[in-house]
């Protein structure tokens, strides 16, 4: 087939009038859809981004709690401090949550988290026994 056969067909399809809309919605729903999109962009999206930012910054603390890291309180403090310096310290807290301190068990007798309240309660109980 030659080009001359397709040229008139192509030209006719290009020049023929068609019904075209600028939106995928019918005209009566465009304003409602725009209102929904504006509320999502102005309220729901920022709240979701703030929640995601907070969750990512608290993730090392959650990991340290789950793994019973002995320095969990310090990791928690580093996570909170990282929020105030724009997240620069977050990678250190994340790595710290996945590592165990060397020689910690030798020095303290355990490599599990022991809250300070339990230590004070044990000391008070030992004094009562004496």
């Amino acid at each position: 087939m030659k080009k001359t056969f397709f040229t008139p067909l192509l030209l006719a399809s290009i020049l023929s009038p068609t019904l075209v809309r600028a939106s995928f919605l019918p005209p009566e729903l465009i304003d409602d859809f725009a209102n929904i999109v504006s509320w999502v962009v102005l309220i729901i999206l920022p709240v979701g981004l703030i929640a995601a930012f907070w969750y990512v910054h608290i993730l090392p603390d959650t990991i340290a709690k789950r793994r019973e890291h002995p320095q969990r309180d310090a990791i928690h403090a580093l996570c909170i401090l990282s929020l105030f310096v724009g997240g620069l310290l977050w990678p250190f807290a994340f790595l710290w949550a996945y590592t165990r301190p060397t020689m910690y068990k030798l020095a303290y007798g355990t490599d599990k988290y022991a809250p300070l309240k339990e230590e004070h309660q044990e000391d008070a109980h030992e004094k009562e026994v004496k």
Side-chain angles (χ1 to χ4, degrees), residues 50-117:
I50 290 169
F53 183 77
W54 178 262
Y55 176 76
V56 166
H57 272 76
I58 298 300
L59 187 62
D61 182 43
T62 307
I63 292 167
K65 285 179 184 175
R66 187 176 61 232
R67 295 173 54 105
E68 296 182 3
H69 197 285
Q71 297 167 330
R72 184 175 92 189
D73 296 329
I75 294 171
H76 176 74
L78 188 61
C79 289
I80 299 301
L81 184 62
S82 177
L83 286 171
F84 293 106
V85 295
L88 293 173
L89 301 173
W90 183 86
F92 297 113
F94 190 76
L95 291 173
W96 193 1
Y98 274 108
T99 59
R100 291 272 180 199
T102 58
M103 306 298 278
Y104 191 90
K105 189 171 186 175
L106 182 65
Y108 295 101
T110 182
D111 62 346
K112 299 288 184 186
Y113 176 71
L116 294 176
K117 291 179 184 177

